[in-house]
Amino acid sequence: PGLARLRELHITGEEHGFYVDEMPRDRDRRVIPHLAELLASPGLAGLETLSVQGVALGDDGVRALVGGVSAGSLVELDLSLCGLTGVGLRSLRPLLAQGRLRRLSIGHNELTWTDAEDLASWPEFGRLHQLDVGYFTHMGGDEGHELLETSPHRHPWLKVT
C-alpha cells in the first residue's frame, strides 16, 4: 500500500557524475537485481517521475517498464546511462502515444544517428516538451540536435539539450 502513494522515484548507480569526457562503458552502469520486476510492479501505478541514471537497465528493462502499470502515468523519465539502444528507444514509442510523458532524458546511451532520425520521424515525438539527448551518444552531436529540433513533428515548446 505504501508504494501506491509514491509519485517520484530516483535510482542511481552512477558514481562519477555525468560530466565525464568519454563515452560510457558497461562498468559505468550498476547492475541492480530485480529492478525490471520492480519497475513493472502494479504498486507503482501512480508514479509520475522516474529516474534510473547509471543503472544497467538495458532494452529489456525498458520494455518491462513500458509494459508496466506505471508507464501510463509517467510525466518525466530519465534513462541516462542505462545501456539503452535503438531497440529500447523504439519500445518507448507506445509510451509517448498513450501516456502522459513530456520530459525524456536519454543521454549517455548507445544511440545512433539512425535512432535520432527514427525518433524525429514519429508523430508521437510531438508530445515531448523536453528531450535531453546529452553529448556522449552517437546521435550526431550538434547535427543530431538540429535534426530533432527541425522535425516536422516537433512540439513548438520542445527544448532539446
Side-chain angles (χ1 to χ4, degrees):
L3 281 179
R5 294 190 308 267
L6 191 63
R7 298 291 172 255
E8 195 169 315
L9 178 61
H10 297 269
I11 301 170
T12 185
E14 202 279 322
E15 298 176 1
H16 57 266
F18 285 92
Y19 302 104
V20 295
D21 59 356
E22 61 186 32
M23 287 297 292
R25 292 178 273 205
D26 288 340
R27 67 176 169 77
D28 294 319
R29 295 182 274 274
R30 180 158 296 153
V31 174
I32 299 178
H34 310 291
L35 180 60
E37 292 89 350
L38 171 67
L39 297 178
S41 168
L44 297 178
L47 202 60
E48 296 176 350
T49 299
L50 175 63
S51 173
V52 285
Q53 293 183 341
V55 173
L57 187 62
D59 297 332
D60 290 339
V62 171
R63 281 192 294 269
L65 167 66
V66 170
V69 176
S70 68
S73 64
L74 288 174
V75 176
E76 183 172 357
L77 178 59
D78 187 344
L79 298 172
S80 301
L81 193 63
C82 286
L84 183 69
T85 70
V87 171
L89 180 66
R90 285 185 288 284
S91 70
L92 293 172
R93 189 173 181 179
L95 181 59
L96 284 171
Q98 301 165 6
R100 299 171 50 210
L101 189 64
R102 297 296 177 266
R103 292 184 297 274
L104 178 64
S105 297
I106 53 174
H108 291 78
N109 280 299
E110 307 299 322
L111 300 170
T112 66
W113 173 260
T114 303
D115 299 326
E117 288 179 314
D118 284 350
L119 180 59
S121 74
W122 301 345
E124 301 86 356
F125 180 63
R127 300 192 75 179
L128 287 176
H129 293 186
Q130 183 175 338
L131 175 65
D132 178 10
V133 296
Y135 289 96
F136 291 106
T137 65
H138 299 287
M139 291 185 94
D142 290 340
E143 294 83 12
H145 281 220
E146 184 176 339
L147 173 72
L148 294 165
E149 288 179 346
T150 59
S151 165
H153 304 293
R154 177 186 181 271
H155 191 285
W157 299 335
L158 177 66
K159 179 179 178 183
V160 179
T161 58

